[in-house]
Coordinates of all heavy atoms in Angstrom, one line a residue:
M61 N -14.9 10.4 5.2 CA -13.7 11.0 4.6 C -13.3 10.3 3.3 O -13.3 9.1 3.3 CB -12.6 10.8 5.7 CG -11.2 11.3 5.1 SD -9.9 10.9 6.3 CE -8.5 11.4 5.3
V62 N -12.9 11.0 2.3 CA -12.5 10.4 1.1 C -11.0 10.5 1.0 O -10.4 11.6 1.1 CB -13.1 11.2 -0.1 CG1 -12.6 10.6 -1.4 CG2 -14.6 11.1 -0.1
L63 N -10.4 9.4 0.9 CA -8.9 9.3 0.8 C -8.5 9.5 -0.7 O -9.1 9.0 -1.6 CB -8.4 7.9 1.2 CG -8.5 7.6 2.7 CD1 -7.9 6.3 3.0 CD2 -7.9 8.7 3.6
S64 N -7.3 10.1 -0.8 CA -6.7 10.2 -2.2 C -5.9 8.9 -2.4 O -5.6 8.2 -1.4 CB -5.9 11.4 -2.3 OG -4.7 11.3 -1.5
C65 N -5.5 8.7 -3.6 CA -4.6 7.5 -3.9 C -3.3 7.7 -3.1 O -2.8 6.7 -2.6 CB -4.3 7.5 -5.4 SG -5.8 7.0 -6.4
K66 N -2.8 8.9 -3.0 CA -1.5 9.1 -2.3 C -1.7 8.6 -0.8 O -0.8 8.0 -0.3 CB -1.1 10.6 -2.3 CG -0.5 10.9 -3.6 CD 0.1 12.4 -3.6 CE 0.6 12.8 -4.9 NZ 1.2 14.1 -4.9
H67 N -2.8 9.0 -0.2 CA -3.0 8.5 1.2 C -3.0 7.0 1.3 O -2.4 6.4 2.2 CB -4.3 9.1 1.7 CG -4.3 10.5 2.1 ND1 -5.1 11.5 1.5 CD2 -3.5 11.2 3.0 CE1 -4.8 12.7 2.1 NE2 -3.9 12.5 2.9
V68 N -3.7 6.4 0.4 CA -3.8 4.9 0.4 C -2.4 4.3 0.2 O -2.0 3.4 1.0 CB -4.7 4.4 -0.7 CG1 -4.7 2.9 -0.9 CG2 -6.2 4.9 -0.5
W69 N -1.6 4.8 -0.7 CA -0.3 4.3 -1.0 C 0.6 4.5 0.2 O 1.5 3.6 0.5 CB 0.3 4.9 -2.2 CG -0.6 4.5 -3.5 CD1 -1.6 3.7 -3.5 CD2 -0.4 5.0 -4.8 NE1 -2.1 3.6 -4.8 CE2 -1.4 4.4 -5.6 CE3 0.5 5.8 -5.4 CZ2 -1.5 4.7 -6.9 CZ3 0.4 6.1 -6.7 CH2 -0.6 5.5 -7.5
R70 N 0.4 5.6 0.9 CA 1.3 5.9 2.0 C 1.0 4.9 3.2 O 1.9 4.5 3.9 CB 1.0 7.3 2.5 CG 2.1 7.8 3.5 CD 1.8 9.3 3.8 NE 1.8 10.1 2.6 CZ 0.9 11.1 2.3 NH1 -0.1 11.3 3.1 NH2 1.0 11.8 1.2
E71 N -0.2 4.4 3.3 CA -0.6 3.6 4.4 C -0.6 2.1 4.0 O -1.0 1.3 4.9 CB -2.0 4.0 4.8 CG -2.2 5.4 5.4 CD -1.4 5.5 6.7 OE1 -1.0 4.5 7.3 OE2 -1.2 6.7 7.1
I72 N -0.3 1.8 2.8 CA -0.6 0.4 2.3 C 0.2 -0.7 3.0 O -0.4 -1.7 3.3 CB -0.4 0.3 0.8 CG1 -1.4 -0.7 0.2 CG2 1.0 0.0 0.4 CD1 -1.7 -0.4 -1.3
S73 N 1.4 -0.4 3.4 CA 2.1 -1.4 4.1 C 1.5 -1.6 5.5 O 1.4 -2.8 6.0 CB 3.6 -1.2 4.2 OG 3.9 0.1 4.8
N74 N 1.1 -0.5 6.2 CA 0.5 -0.7 7.5 C -0.9 -1.4 7.3 O -1.2 -2.2 8.2 CB 0.2 0.7 8.1 CG 1.5 1.4 8.4 OD1 2.5 0.8 8.7 ND2 1.5 2.7 8.3
Y75 N -1.5 -1.1 6.2 CA -2.8 -1.7 6.0 C -2.7 -3.3 5.9 O -3.4 -4.0 6.5 CB -3.4 -1.2 4.7 CG -4.7 -1.9 4.2 CD1 -5.9 -1.6 4.8 CD2 -4.6 -2.9 3.2 CE1 -7.0 -2.3 4.3 CE2 -5.7 -3.5 2.8 CZ -6.9 -3.2 3.3 OH -8.1 -3.9 2.9
I76 N -1.7 -3.7 5.1 CA -1.4 -5.1 5.0 C -1.0 -5.8 6.3 O -1.4 -6.9 6.6 CB -0.4 -5.3 3.9 CG1 -1.0 -4.9 2.5 CG2 0.1 -6.8 3.8 CD1 0.0 -4.9 1.4
E77 N -0.2 -5.1 7.0 CA 0.3 -5.6 8.3 C -0.7 -5.5 9.4 O -0.6 -6.1 10.4 CB 1.6 -4.8 8.7 CG 2.8 -5.1 7.9 CD 3.9 -4.1 8.1 OE1 4.0 -3.6 9.3 OE2 4.6 -3.8 7.2
G78 N -1.8 -4.8 9.1 CA -2.8 -4.7 10.1 C -2.5 -3.8 11.3 O -3.2 -3.7 12.3
T79 N -1.5 -2.9 11.1 CA -1.1 -2.0 12.1 C -1.7 -0.6 11.8 O -1.0 0.4 11.7 CB 0.4 -1.8 12.2 OG1 0.9 -1.4 10.9 CG2 1.1 -3.1 12.6
I80 N -3.0 -0.6 11.7 CA -3.7 0.6 11.2 C -5.0 0.7 12.0 O -5.6 -0.3 12.3 CB -3.9 0.5 9.7 CG1 -4.0 1.9 9.1 CG2 -5.0 -0.4 9.3 CD1 -4.0 1.9 7.6
D81 N -5.4 1.9 12.2 CA -6.6 2.2 12.9 C -7.8 1.7 12.1 O -7.8 1.8 10.9 CB -6.4 3.7 13.0 CG -7.6 4.5 13.5 OD1 -8.6 4.5 12.9 OD2 -7.3 5.1 14.5
A82 N -8.8 1.2 12.8 CA -10.0 0.6 12.1 C -10.7 1.6 11.2 O -11.2 1.3 10.2 CB -10.9 0.1 13.2
K83 N -10.7 2.9 11.6 CA -11.4 3.9 10.8 C -10.6 4.1 9.5 O -11.2 4.2 8.4 CB -11.4 5.2 11.6 CG -11.7 6.4 10.8 CD -13.1 6.9 11.0 CE -13.4 8.2 10.3 NZ -13.2 8.1 8.8
V84 N -9.3 4.2 9.6 CA -8.5 4.4 8.4 C -8.6 3.1 7.5 O -8.7 3.3 6.3 CB -7.0 4.6 8.7 CG1 -6.2 4.8 7.5 CG2 -6.9 5.9 9.6
R85 N -8.6 2.0 8.1 CA -8.8 0.7 7.4 C -10.1 0.7 6.5 O -10.1 0.4 5.4 CB -8.7 -0.5 8.3 CG -9.2 -1.8 7.7 CD -9.0 -2.9 8.7 NE -7.6 -3.3 8.8 CZ -7.0 -4.1 8.0 NH1 -7.6 -4.8 7.1 NH2 -5.7 -4.3 8.1
A86 N -11.1 1.2 7.2 CA -12.4 1.2 6.5 C -12.4 2.2 5.4 O -12.9 1.9 4.3 CB -13.5 1.6 7.5
D87 N -11.7 3.4 5.6 CA -11.6 4.4 4.5 C -10.8 3.8 3.3 O -11.2 4.0 2.2 CB -10.9 5.6 5.0 CG -11.8 6.4 5.9 OD1 -13.0 6.3 5.9 OD2 -11.3 7.3 6.7
I88 N -9.8 3.1 3.6 CA -8.9 2.5 2.6 C -9.7 1.4 1.8 O -9.7 1.4 0.6 CB -7.6 1.9 3.1 CG1 -6.7 3.0 3.6 CG2 -6.9 1.0 2.1 CD1 -5.4 2.6 4.3
E89 N -10.4 0.6 2.5 CA -11.2 -0.5 1.9 C -12.3 0.2 1.0 O -12.5 -0.3 -0.1 CB -11.9 -1.4 2.9 CG -10.8 -2.4 3.4 CD -11.3 -3.2 4.6 OE1 -12.4 -2.9 5.1 OE2 -10.5 -4.1 5.0
N90 N -12.8 1.2 1.4 CA -13.8 2.0 0.6 C -13.2 2.5 -0.7 O -13.8 2.3 -1.7 CB -14.3 3.2 1.5 CG -15.7 3.5 1.2 OD1 -16.4 2.8 0.6 ND2 -16.1 4.7 1.7
H91 N -12.0 3.0 -0.5 CA -11.3 3.5 -1.7 C -10.9 2.4 -2.7 O -11.1 2.5 -3.9 CB -10.0 4.3 -1.2 CG -9.2 4.9 -2.4 ND1 -9.3 6.2 -2.7 CD2 -8.4 4.3 -3.3 CE1 -8.5 6.4 -3.7 NE2 -7.9 5.3 -4.1
L92 N -10.4 1.3 -2.1 CA -10.0 0.2 -2.9 C -11.2 -0.4 -3.7 O -11.0 -1.0 -4.8 CB -9.4 -0.9 -2.0 CG -8.0 -0.6 -1.5 CD1 -7.6 -1.6 -0.4 CD2 -6.9 -0.5 -2.6
A93 N -12.3 -0.3 -3.1 CA -13.5 -0.9 -3.8 C -13.8 -0.3 -5.1 O -14.4 -0.9 -6.0 CB -14.7 -0.8 -2.8
H94 N -13.4 1.0 -5.3 CA -13.7 1.6 -6.5 C -12.5 2.2 -7.3 O -12.7 2.9 -8.3 CB -14.8 2.7 -6.3 CG -14.3 3.9 -5.4 ND1 -13.4 4.8 -5.9 CD2 -14.6 4.1 -4.1 CE1 -13.2 5.6 -4.9 NE2 -13.9 5.3 -3.8
C95 N -11.3 1.9 -6.8 CA -10.1 2.4 -7.5 C -9.2 1.2 -7.9 O -8.6 0.6 -7.1 CB -9.3 3.3 -6.6 SG -7.9 4.0 -7.3
R96 N -9.3 0.9 -9.2 CA -8.5 -0.3 -9.7 C -7.0 0.0 -9.6 O -6.2 -0.9 -9.4 CB -8.9 -0.6 -11.1 CG -10.2 -1.3 -11.2 CD -10.8 -1.4 -12.6 NE -9.8 -1.7 -13.6 CZ -9.9 -1.5 -14.9 NH1 -11.0 -1.0 -15.3 NH2 -9.0 -1.8 -15.7
H97 N -6.7 1.3 -9.7 CA -5.2 1.6 -9.6 C -4.7 1.2 -8.3 O -3.6 0.5 -8.2 CB -5.2 3.1 -9.8 CG -3.8 3.6 -10.2 ND1 -3.2 3.3 -11.4 CD2 -2.9 4.4 -9.6 CE1 -2.1 3.8 -11.5 NE2 -1.8 4.5 -10.4
C98 N -5.3 1.6 -7.2 CA -4.9 1.3 -5.9 C -5.0 -0.2 -5.6 O -4.2 -0.8 -4.9 CB -5.6 2.1 -4.8 SG -5.1 3.8 -4.8
A99 N -6.0 -0.9 -6.1 CA -6.2 -2.3 -5.9 C -5.0 -3.0 -6.5 O -4.5 -4.0 -5.9 CB -7.5 -2.8 -6.5
A100 N -4.5 -2.6 -7.6 CA -3.4 -3.2 -8.3 C -2.1 -3.0 -7.4 O -1.3 -3.9 -7.3 CB -3.2 -2.6 -9.7
V101 N -2.0 -1.8 -6.9 CA -0.8 -1.6 -6.0 C -0.9 -2.5 -4.8 O 0.1 -3.1 -4.4 CB -0.8 -0.1 -5.6 CG1 0.3 0.2 -4.5 CG2 -0.5 0.8 -6.8
L102 N -2.1 -2.6 -4.2 CA -2.2 -3.5 -3.1 C -1.9 -4.9 -3.4 O -1.1 -5.5 -2.7 CB -3.7 -3.4 -2.6 CG -4.0 -4.4 -1.4 CD1 -3.2 -4.0 -0.2 CD2 -5.5 -4.4 -1.1
D103 N -2.3 -5.4 -4.5 CA -2.0 -6.8 -4.9 C -0.6 -7.0 -5.1 O 0.0 -8.0 -4.6 CB -2.7 -7.1 -6.3 CG -4.1 -7.6 -6.1 OD1 -4.5 -7.8 -4.9 OD2 -4.8 -7.8 -7.1
S104 N 0.1 -6.1 -5.8 CA 1.6 -6.4 -6.0 C 2.3 -6.2 -4.7 O 3.3 -7.0 -4.4 CB 2.1 -5.4 -7.1 OG 1.8 -4.1 -6.8
T105 N 1.9 -5.3 -3.8 CA 2.6 -5.2 -2.6 C 2.4 -6.4 -1.7 O 3.3 -6.9 -1.1 CB 2.1 -3.9 -1.8 OG1 2.2 -2.8 -2.7 CG2 2.9 -3.7 -0.5
R106 N 1.2 -6.9 -1.7 CA 0.8 -8.0 -0.9 C 1.6 -9.3 -1.4 O 2.1 -10.1 -0.6 CB -0.7 -8.3 -0.9 CG -1.1 -9.3 0.0 CD -2.7 -9.5 -0.1 NE -3.4 -8.7 0.9 CZ -4.6 -8.2 0.8 NH1 -5.2 -8.3 -0.4 NH2 -5.1 -7.5 1.8
N107 N 1.8 -9.4 -2.7 CA 2.5 -10.5 -3.3 C 4.0 -10.5 -2.8 O 4.5 -11.6 -2.4 CB 2.5 -10.5 -4.8 CG 1.2 -10.9 -5.3 OD1 0.4 -11.5 -4.6 ND2 0.9 -10.5 -6.6
I108 N 4.6 -9.4 -2.7 CA 5.9 -9.2 -2.2 C 6.0 -9.7 -0.8 O 6.9 -10.5 -0.4 CB 6.4 -7.8 -2.3 CG1 6.6 -7.4 -3.8 CG2 7.8 -7.6 -1.6 CD1 6.7 -5.9 -4.0
L109 N 5.0 -9.3 0.0 CA 5.0 -9.6 1.5 C 4.8 -11.1 1.7 O 5.4 -11.7 2.6 CB 4.0 -8.8 2.2 CG 4.3 -7.3 2.3 CD1 3.2 -6.6 3.0 CD2 5.6 -7.0 2.9
V110 N 3.9 -11.7 0.8 CA 3.7 -13.1 0.9 C 5.0 -13.9 0.6 O 5.3 -14.9 1.3 CB 2.6 -13.6 0.0 CG1 2.5 -15.1 -0.2 CG2 1.2 -13.0 0.5
L111 N 5.7 -13.5 -0.4 CA 7.0 -14.2 -0.7 C 7.9 -14.1 0.5 O 8.6 -15.1 0.9 CB 7.6 -13.5 -1.9 CG 7.0 -13.8 -3.3 CD1 7.7 -12.9 -4.3 CD2 7.1 -15.2 -3.6
V112 N 8.0 -13.0 1.1 CA 8.9 -12.8 2.3 C 8.4 -13.7 3.4 O 9.1 -14.3 4.1 CB 9.0 -11.3 2.7 CG1 9.8 -11.2 4.0 CG2 9.6 -10.5 1.6
A113 N 7.1 -13.7 3.6 CA 6.5 -14.4 4.8 C 6.7 -15.9 4.6 O 6.7 -16.6 5.6 CB 5.0 -14.0 4.8
D114 N 6.8 -16.4 3.4 CA 7.0 -17.8 3.2 C 8.3 -18.3 3.9 O 8.4 -19.5 4.2 CB 7.1 -18.2 1.7 CG 5.7 -18.4 1.1 OD1 4.8 -18.5 1.9 OD2 5.7 -18.6 -0.1
E115 N 9.2 -17.5 4.2 CA 10.4 -17.9 4.9 C 10.1 -18.1 6.4 O 11.0 -18.5 7.2 CB 11.5 -16.8 4.8 CG 12.0 -16.6 3.4 CD 12.5 -17.9 2.8 OE1 13.3 -18.6 3.5 OE2 12.2 -18.2 1.6
R116 N 8.9 -17.8 6.8 CA 8.4 -18.1 8.2 C 9.0 -17.1 9.2 O 8.4 -16.9 10.3 CB 8.7 -19.5 8.6 CG 8.0 -20.6 7.8 CD 6.5 -20.5 8.0 NE 5.8 -21.3 7.1 CZ 4.5 -21.2 6.8 NH1 3.8 -20.3 7.4 NH2 4.0 -22.0 5.9
T117 N 10.1 -16.6 9.0 CA 10.6 -15.6 9.9 C 10.3 -14.2 9.3 O 11.1 -13.7 8.5 CB 12.1 -15.7 10.1 OG1 12.8 -15.7 8.9 CG2 12.5 -16.9 10.9
F118 N 9.1 -13.8 9.6 CA 8.6 -12.6 8.8 C 9.1 -11.3 9.4 O 8.6 -10.8 10.4 CB 7.1 -12.6 8.8 CG 6.5 -11.5 8.1 CD1 7.0 -11.1 6.8 CD2 5.5 -10.7 8.7 CE1 6.4 -10.1 6.1 CE2 4.9 -9.7 8.0 CZ 5.4 -9.3 6.7
E119 N 10.2 -10.9 8.8 CA 10.7 -9.6 9.2 C 11.0 -8.8 8.0 O 11.6 -9.3 7.0 CB 12.1 -9.7 10.0 CG 11.9 -10.1 11.4 CD 13.3 -10.2 12.1 OE1 14.2 -9.4 11.7 OE2 13.4 -11.1 13.0
L120 N 10.6 -7.5 7.9 CA 10.8 -6.7 6.8 C 12.3 -6.4 6.8 O 12.9 -6.1 7.8 CB 10.0 -5.4 6.9 CG 8.5 -5.6 6.7 CD1 7.9 -4.2 6.8 CD2 8.2 -6.1 5.3
P121 N 13.0 -6.6 5.6 CA 14.4 -6.3 5.5 C 14.6 -4.8 5.8 O 13.7 -4.0 5.6 CB 14.7 -6.6 4.1 CG 13.5 -6.8 3.4 CD 12.4 -7.1 4.4
V122 N 15.8 -4.5 6.3 CA 16.1 -3.1 6.6 C 16.0 -2.3 5.3 O 16.5 -2.7 4.3 CB 17.6 -3.0 7.1 CG1 18.0 -1.6 7.3 CG2 17.7 -3.8 8.5
G123 N 15.4 -1.2 5.5 CA 15.2 -0.3 4.3 C 14.0 -0.6 3.5 O 13.8 0.1 2.5
Y124 N 13.3 -1.7 3.8 CA 12.2 -2.1 2.9 C 11.2 -1.0 2.8 O 10.7 -0.7 1.7 CB 11.5 -3.4 3.5 CG 10.3 -3.7 2.7 CD1 10.4 -4.4 1.5 CD2 9.0 -3.3 3.2 CE1 9.2 -4.7 0.8 CE2 7.9 -3.6 2.5 CZ 8.0 -4.3 1.3 OH 6.8 -4.5 0.5
S125 N 10.8 -0.4 3.9 CA 9.8 0.6 3.9 C 10.2 1.8 3.1 O 9.4 2.3 2.3 CB 9.4 1.1 5.3 OG 8.7 0.1 6.0
D126 N 11.5 2.2 3.2 CA 12.0 3.3 2.4 C 11.9 3.0 0.9 O 11.5 3.8 0.1 CB 13.4 3.6 2.8 CG 13.5 4.3 4.2 OD1 12.4 4.8 4.7 OD2 14.6 4.3 4.8
R127 N 12.3 1.8 0.6 CA 12.3 1.4 -0.8 C 10.9 1.4 -1.3 O 10.6 1.8 -2.5 CB 13.0 0.0 -1.0 CG 14.5 0.1 -0.9 CD 15.2 -1.1 -1.5 NE 14.8 -2.3 -0.9 CZ 15.3 -2.9 0.2 NH1 16.3 -2.2 0.8 NH2 14.9 -4.0 0.6
L128 N 10.0 0.8 -0.5 CA 8.6 0.7 -1.0 C 8.1 2.1 -1.2 O 7.4 2.4 -2.2 CB 7.8 0.0 0.1 CG 6.3 0.0 -0.2 CD1 5.9 -0.7 -1.5 CD2 5.5 -0.7 1.0
H129 N 8.4 3.0 -0.2 CA 7.8 4.4 -0.4 C 8.4 5.1 -1.5 O 7.8 5.9 -2.2 CB 8.0 5.1 1.0 CG 7.1 4.6 2.0 ND1 7.4 4.5 3.3 CD2 5.8 4.2 1.9 CE1 6.4 4.1 4.0 NE2 5.4 3.9 3.2
N130 N 9.7 4.9 -1.8 CA 10.3 5.5 -3.0 C 9.7 5.0 -4.2 O 9.4 5.8 -5.2 CB 11.9 5.2 -3.0 CG 12.6 5.9 -2.0 OD1 12.1 6.9 -1.4 ND2 13.8 5.5 -1.6
R131 N 9.4 3.7 -4.3 CA 8.8 3.1 -5.4 C 7.4 3.7 -5.6 O 7.0 4.0 -6.7 CB 8.7 1.6 -5.2 CG 8.0 0.8 -6.4 CD 8.9 0.8 -7.6 NE 8.2 0.2 -8.7 CZ 7.9 0.8 -9.9 NH1 8.4 2.0 -10.1 NH2 7.3 0.2 -10.9
L132 N 6.7 3.8 -4.5 CA 5.3 4.4 -4.6 C 5.4 5.8 -5.0 O 4.5 6.3 -5.8 CB 4.6 4.2 -3.3 CG 4.2 2.8 -2.9 CD1 3.6 2.8 -1.5 CD2 3.3 2.2 -3.9
S133 N 6.4 6.5 -4.6 CA 6.5 7.9 -5.0 C 6.7 8.0 -6.5 O 6.2 8.9 -7.2 CB 7.7 8.6 -4.3 OG 7.5 8.7 -2.9
E134 N 7.5 7.1 -7.0 CA 7.7 7.1 -8.5 C 6.4 6.8 -9.2 O 6.1 7.5 -10.2 CB 8.7 6.0 -8.9 CG 10.1 6.2 -8.5 CD 11.0 5.0 -8.7 OE1 10.6 4.1 -9.4 OE2 12.1 5.0 -8.1
L135 N 5.6 5.9 -8.7 CA 4.3 5.6 -9.3 C 3.4 6.8 -9.2 O 2.7 7.1 -10.1 CB 3.7 4.4 -8.6 CG 4.3 3.0 -8.8 CD1 3.7 2.0 -7.9 CD2 4.1 2.6 -10.3
I136 N 3.5 7.5 -8.1 CA 2.6 8.7 -7.9 C 3.0 9.7 -8.9 O 2.1 10.3 -9.6 CB 2.8 9.2 -6.5 CG1 2.1 8.3 -5.5 CG2 2.1 10.6 -6.4 CD1 2.4 8.6 -4.0
E137 N 4.3 9.9 -9.1 CA 4.8 10.9 -10.1 C 4.3 10.5 -11.5 O 4.0 11.3 -12.4 CB 6.3 11.0 -10.1 CG 6.9 11.5 -8.9 CD 6.3 12.9 -8.5 OE1 6.1 13.7 -9.3 OE2 6.0 13.0 -7.3
A138 N 4.2 9.2 -11.8 CA 3.9 8.7 -13.1 C 2.4 8.5 -13.3 O 1.9 8.1 -14.3 CB 4.6 7.3 -13.4
A139 N 1.7 8.7 -12.2 CA 0.2 8.4 -12.2 C -0.5 9.4 -13.2 O -0.1 10.5 -13.3 CB -0.4 8.6 -10.8
P140 N -1.4 8.8 -13.9 CA -2.1 9.6 -14.9 C -3.0 10.7 -14.2 O -3.4 10.5 -13.0 CB -3.0 8.6 -15.6 CG -3.2 7.5 -14.7 CD -1.9 7.5 -13.9
P141 N -3.3 11.8 -14.9 CA -4.1 12.8 -14.3 C -5.4 12.2 -13.8 O -6.0 11.4 -14.5 CB -4.3 13.8 -15.4 CG -3.2 13.6 -16.4 CD -2.9 12.1 -16.2
G142 N -5.9 12.6 -12.7 CA -7.1 12.1 -12.2 C -7.0 10.9 -11.2 O -7.9 10.5 -10.5
A143 N -5.8 10.3 -11.2 CA -5.5 9.2 -10.3 C -5.6 9.6 -8.8 O -5.7 8.7 -8.0 CB -4.2 8.5 -10.6
E144 N -5.5 10.8 -8.5 CA -5.5 11.3 -7.1 C -6.9 11.6 -6.7 O -7.1 12.1 -5.6 CB -4.7 12.5 -7.0 CG -3.2 12.3 -7.2 CD -2.4 13.5 -7.0 OE1 -2.8 14.3 -6.2 OE2 -1.4 13.7 -7.8
A145 N -7.9 11.3 -7.5 CA -9.3 11.6 -7.2 C -9.7 11.5 -5.7 O -9.4 10.6 -5.0 CB -10.2 10.6 -7.9
Ligands
ZN146 ZN1 -6.8 5.1 -5.6

């Protein structure tokens, strides 16, 4: 299965948290291996989570997922043609 960038971005927080099915994880890793756009999104998302995790009480703030998804939606809208390959 070939994932689009939108699919990857939708699953990215689950991917980082490891709450994702092994098959989907493999598909995402496959996509990330050849999509610099998504690799950059993963890096910046992971950096945010690392900052939060440093507080040792790792809980996502209320509304975090919604805000993340809104932000990703903005990025998707702004994505150059072809980014959904
Ligand atoms: Zn991508």
Side-chain angles (χ1 to χ4, degrees):
M61 175 187 174
V62 177
L63 289 185
S64 72
C65 291
K66 281 188 184 180
H67 282 122
V68 172
W69 297 354
R70 195 175 299 135
E71 297 294 344
I72 212 154
S73 57
N74 294 330
Y75 173 81
I76 291 170
E77 288 166 32
T79 58
I80 203 170
D81 175 295
K83 164 105 178 56
V84 179
R85 166 173 289 271
D87 287 340
I88 289 177
E89 282 171 354
N90 213 12
H91 182 102
L92 289 168
H94 63 74
C95 181
R96 283 168 44 197
H97 199 65
C98 286
V101 171
L102 174 65
D103 271 356
S104 52
T105 306
R106 188 178 264 150
N107 285 343
I108 293 167
L109 293 179
V110 167
L111 287 175
V112 175
D114 271 351
E115 295 300 316
R116 296 295 170 196
T117 52
F118 181 47
E119 283 182 31
L120 290 177
V122 173
Y124 173 82
S125 288
D126 287 343
R127 287 198 301 275
L128 174 62
H129 286 141
N130 287 341
R131 179 73 185 121
L132 290 176
S133 294
E134 289 171 18
L135 287 171
I136 288 167
E137 295 306 318
E144 293 180 36

